[in-house]
Amino acid sequence: MLDYSLLYPMTTPTRCSMKLDGMWKFSLDWQGEGEKLGWSKGVPGRDMIPVPASFQDFYTEKAIREYTGDMWYETDITIPVFMRGSDVFIRFGAATHRAWVYLNGELVGEHEGGFLPFLVDITDKAVCGELNRLVVRVNNELNETNIPCGRTIRLENGRKMSKPYFDFYNYSGLQRSVHLIAVPKNSITDVDLSYEIGEGEARINYSVSQKGKGDVSLKLYDEDGKLVSEAFGASGYMCVENPHLWRVRDAYLYTLEITLSNGNEVLDMYPLEIGIRTVEIKGTEILLNGSPIYLKGFGKHEDSDIVGRGFNIGVMKRDFELMKWIGANSFRTSHYPYDEEIYRMADREGFLIIDEVPAVGLFESLVNFLDAGTGKGAKSFFSKPTTPILLKAHLRAVEEMIVRDKNHPSVIAWSLLNEPESTDENSVPYFTEVFNLARALDPQKRPRTFAMESNSSTTRCRCHHLSDFISLNRYYGWYILGGYEITDAEERFKKEMDDWAALNLNKPFVFTEYGADTMPSEHKLPSVMWSQEYQCEVLEMLHRVFDSYSFVKGEQIWNFADFQTTEGLMRVNGNKKGVFTRQRQPKDAAFLLKKRWESLPLDYKREK
Ligand code: GCB
């Protein structure tokens, strides 16, 4: 179990949270000698870099952009005297892919996994009232014992290079905010919430975890700041009369104020924005508050010019405005959990999230997206000697993701893998552990799924029985029978859907990927692949098929925007399947989707 709290960092009457973002000293460790040379006490050179950001796209030298290995960050922080007597932590929003943290030259913490937060306890090491030197060694090498999977090779010139088993650039560094936080000795560490909605009333079941002593009490305020319910004790329930439910694109957020006190003394206070809603799967329906919904939206990436995968609040705002404009209601955090701000915004805007753990590349292939279409399987990815270590990292990431995100009303499902090699018997015990852990950790028992590539067909996939709804990534008309063969692609696609229908799984299906690479510069009549016209034709063909199967309950196109990948023959300065360009301007397909999505009701394909 996690030994630290993942509550979102906030300043409250009892807590203090300070962002350490800004320019940090930065040095690449070309020889891998930083540790030996004592860089943990101070990073050499004069270069500085913004935090949060990926380090790669600032520089003009290719060897720096492609750098693989250790990189060192340093900042000096004054820890205020008023933090004395509190528990003091450094909280990293993420460090990609692993990090060692030093305070005043001493190793104070380490973490593996590049897309989830971790806390480093510096209570006994921090010198309050003085400057403290914070140094972080970050390593961005890919391997098969951590997620996402890949390899690190050595070029003839001795330099290392990343070979991802996935289709996005290996952006890395301190890509999310870093906070200095002070928390009282007796503190609230976590809260579990689940909802039951009845006639004119909702029940909020809760369970608060704490460190140290103190009595728990809870107050629930509506959006006008009116107290609507109260409860006492570390676990129990609260009732809300005539609740204002959290709905799709019509969010309503209550504030749950959790207090830890000793008589009249408030020991800790933490406010959490919550939405009252339920999610469940019934037959082939996805139900939100008991009513059927149809998902319209995107697979996305955290990816933009200059800062790469670094969190950019302006880009986030633009993305949400575009998603509203186009009539989307949902997205998948392909292929890793995103920055926490994005979930907070989705909570406020009423978007639905399929939250994905960074388990991508669990298929030994550098061109997964190509092999997927050939029907050729990999070589039993889940029976390697390293598999148990990989599984441990995977389970840990599932735990960190669920602990971090379980209270967001926007999160309606967990995606536990993307396009894994699920055709081998050895995948079954591995997947079973991952799926069981997600069920055990989630107080709301949200639906679980994994995104399946084409090899994972009706006859070959060994694991789809574990999914509460089936997520298909399908590229008919692109990797499979593209161009003039598109008519055959449609027939082949219908044949596959008929095969799924014949299995009678009685589960909803969601297309978590479909699309076509498209150069915004290209127009052609009649169409050719890569032209804007062709992207629209592929979508029309695919939508026709989606529309003719009643158990298809969602479509999330690949991708929201063009994004950076490793360079190669199949990629023109990145993946161009965006509906928007990387600069967030529409391609023609955006207008086609807007017309379709604005016309599809939320309960599209509701069963009578
Ligand atoms: C996929 C992958 C995604 C790729 C996409 C593509 O199946 O899940 O990461 O970017 O295909 O465009 O090939």
Side-chain angles (χ1 to χ4, degrees):
M1 286 303 273
L2 274 187
D3 53 4
Y4 47 76
S5 166
L6 283 185
L7 289 179
Y8 184 77
M10 266 202 274
T11 295
T12 78
T14 56
R15 296 169 167 236
C16 179
S17 164
M18 291 162 52
K19 260 195 182 152
L20 302 179
D21 297 356
M23 296 299 281
W24 289 39
K25 249 180 119 175
F26 182 69
S27 192
L28 298 175
D29 191 353
W30 293 97
Q31 309 305 327
E33 305 187 310
E35 200 74 59
K36 203 171 72 203
L37 297 176
W39 293 12
S40 53
K41 297 191 182 65
V43 173
R46 300 175 58 86
D47 191 19
M48 298 194 85
I49 199 171
V51 171
S54 309
F55 76 91
Q56 282 102 335
D57 286 353
F58 296 120
Y59 296 97
T60 53
E61 287 158 59
K62 189 145 178 170
I64 298 184
R65 187 176 124 91
E66 296 298 326
Y67 178 83
T68 302
D70 284 349
M71 63 201 84
W72 294 73
Y73 288 79
E74 173 191 314
T75 189
D76 287 342
I77 47 173
T78 304
I79 300 180
V81 281
F82 65 74
M83 288 191 173
R84 211 172 268 149
S86 301
D87 285 342
V88 184
F89 303 95
I90 308 286
R91 185 191 199 266
F92 292 84
T96 320
H97 295 284
R98 53 191 69 74
W100 294 261
V101 182
Y102 305 85
L103 192 79
N104 303 322
E106 198 181 327
L107 182 69
V108 286
E110 52 192 274
H111 182 262
E112 175 144 45
F115 299 94
L116 285 155
F118 60 98
L119 283 188
V120 176
D121 188 348
I122 57 165
T123 313
D124 299 330
K125 317 280 176 195
V127 190
C128 292
E130 288 184 30
L131 270 187
N132 290 254
R133 175 154 296 171
L134 176 65
V135 170
V136 191
R137 168 159 75 97
V138 179
N139 175 283
N140 69 346
E141 288 172 40
L142 296 172
N143 56 35
E144 292 184 358
T145 54
N146 181 37
I147 49 174
C149 292
R151 250 184 298 153
T152 301
I153 62 157
R154 224 178 248 282
L155 302 176
E156 298 283 329
N157 64 14
R159 292 200 176 132
K160 290 183 192 164
M161 183 185 174
S162 305
K163 290 280 186 188
Y165 295 168
F166 49 86
D167 184 37
F168 50 92
Y169 194 68
N170 188 31
Y171 279 122
S172 34
L174 295 178
Q175 305 184 119
R176 295 186 189 155
S177 287
V178 183
H179 290 86
L180 169 67
I181 59 180
V183 175
K185 290 278 175 208
N186 300 294
S187 67
I188 299 150
T189 54
D190 198 7
V191 55
D192 281 355
L193 298 169
S194 66
Y195 306 97
E196 289 166 54
I197 299 171
E199 250 337 282
E201 196 185 69
R203 185 167 146 151
I204 307 175
N205 303 306
Y206 73 87
S207 166
V208 175
S209 311
Q210 69 190 84
K211 170 181 172 259
K213 62 173 199 280
D215 299 320
V216 174
S217 61
L218 299 97
K219 285 192 164 116
L220 188 73
Y221 296 95
D222 68 13
E223 285 190 356
D224 299 323
K226 201 172 119 228
L227 181 68
V228 292
S229 192
E230 269 185 289
F232 301 90
S235 62
Y237 65 88
M238 11 186 18
C239 291
V240 188
E241 271 173 43
N242 300 319
H244 205 133
L245 300 184
W246 188 95
R247 297 199 160 91
V248 185
R249 300 288 300 108
D250 178 19
Y252 190 94
L253 296 177
Y254 289 90
T255 301
L256 181 66
E257 195 182 275
I258 310 168
T259 305
L260 202 60
S261 51
N262 183 15
N264 284 336
E265 187 196 359
V266 173
L267 302 171
D268 192 15
M269 202 280 270
Y270 189 86
L272 187 73
E273 285 191 326
I274 64 164
I276 300 178
R277 60 104 189 86
T278 58
V279 193
E280 79 193 284
I281 301 283
K282 236 191 204 151
T284 66
E285 299 276 31
I286 306 171
L287 303 176
L288 195 90
N289 303 330
S291 302
I293 56 167
Y294 187 87
L295 303 180
K296 303 174 270 186
F298 300 97
K300 288 184 95 262
H301 264 299
E302 289 186 292
D303 175 281
S304 63
D305 285 333
I306 316 291
V307 294
R309 191 146 293 119
F311 176 66
N312 181 317
I313 201 160
V315 171
M316 172 184 80
K317 172 72 180 162
R318 173 72 177 173
D319 285 5
F320 274 91
E321 289 306 314
L322 290 175
M323 287 195 289
K324 289 194 274 182
W325 170 81
I326 206 168
N329 63 16
S330 62
F331 59 95
R332 176 171 61 124
T333 68
S334 40
H335 293 309
Y336 36 82
Y338 293 173
D339 190 282
E340 290 150 289
E341 287 292 344
I342 295 173
Y343 300 75
R344 288 159 64 82
M345 182 121 182
D347 290 346
R348 287 193 294 272
E349 296 282 5
F351 276 89
L352 307 169
I353 295 178
I354 299 177
D355 204 2
E356 187 158 278
V357 76
V360 55
L362 280 68
F363 188 131
E364 191 180 339
S365 162
L366 294 185
V367 282
N368 189 357
F369 47 88
L370 268 192
D371 287 349
T374 63
K376 106 173 162 234
K379 324 168 203 112
S380 189
F381 196 86
F382 297 100
S383 57
K384 300 188 178 199
T386 47
T387 302
I389 313 174
L390 177 69
L391 176 60
K392 228 171 128 197
H394 194 158
L395 294 173
R396 168 97 180 176
V398 168
E399 181 179 6
E400 290 174 345
M401 174 176 77
I402 294 180
V403 171
R404 190 192 75 161
D405 296 340
K406 64 189 168 187
N407 290 322
H408 289 289
S410 54
V411 174
I412 57 155
W414 310 113
S415 169
L416 300 173
L417 307 104
N418 181 71
E419 301 197 340
E421 212 280 314
S422 70
T423 56
D424 184 271
E425 277 306 326
N426 294 305
S427 59
V428 182
Y430 184 105
F431 283 44
T432 305
E433 275 209 50
V434 173
F435 274 72
N436 286 348
L437 183 70
R439 180 46 48 96
L441 290 176
D442 182 8
Q444 299 181 9
K445 309 295 172 214
R446 290 169 180 86
R448 303 149 301 166
T449 192
F450 71 101
M452 293 156 61
E453 50 88 33
S454 299
N455 280 310
S456 300
S457 60
T458 46
T459 49
R460 303 188 68 206
C461 180
R462 301 272 169 271
C463 296
H464 63 74
H465 63 280
L466 294 166
S467 285
D468 299 310
F469 64 95
I470 305 288
S471 298
L472 298 181
N473 295 355
R474 289 295 182 270
Y475 288 96
Y476 291 100
W478 188 252
Y479 298 121
I480 302 175
L481 300 168
Y484 190 45
E485 290 173 277
I486 191 171
T487 46
D488 285 1
E490 184 166 357
E491 291 314 309
R492 180 90 72 90
F493 188 16
K494 286 196 284 201
K495 163 84 180 62
E496 186 188 351
M497 293 310 289
D498 290 342
D499 290 346
W500 285 112
L503 286 190
N504 239 322
L505 296 181
N506 197 27
K507 289 178 185 182
F509 278 56
V510 173
F511 284 92
T512 36
E513 287 186 28
Y514 62 96
D517 280 278
T518 306
M519 294 301 287
S521 57
E522 298 309 307
H523 278 287
K524 187 103 173 168
L525 188 66
S527 74
V528 286
M529 291 173 81
W530 295 89
S531 69
Q532 301 227 32
E533 287 72 15
Y534 188 73
Q535 189 178 30
C536 290
E537 281 167 30
V538 167
L539 297 188
E540 274 165 358
M541 180 276 279
L542 297 171
H543 292 155
R544 246 191 329 268
V545 180
F546 299 168
D547 288 343
S548 44
Y549 293 86
S550 60
F551 56 86
V552 172
K553 292 295 161 60
E555 51 191 68
Q556 295 187 327
I557 189 174
W558 193 255
N559 186 286
F560 172 76
D562 293 345
F563 59 93
Q564 196 57 245
T565 63
T566 304
E567 61 191 324
L569 294 175
M570 300 291 297
R571 297 288 176 256
V572 189
N573 185 18
N575 185 310
K576 300 292 178 192
K577 292 192 188 70
V579 170
F580 299 95
T581 63
R582 200 182 194 209
Q583 293 69 39
R584 273 57 179 180
Q585 296 303 332
K587 297 184 190 169
D588 287 359
F591 298 93
L592 180 150
L593 286 165
K594 179 174 168 63
K595 198 161 158 223
R596 173 176 168 82
W597 287 347
E598 283 182 342
S599 74
L600 295 184
L602 178 62
D603 65 349
Y604 180 46
K605 296 190 194 164
R606 166 198 278 271
E607 279 144 34
K608 304 289 171 266

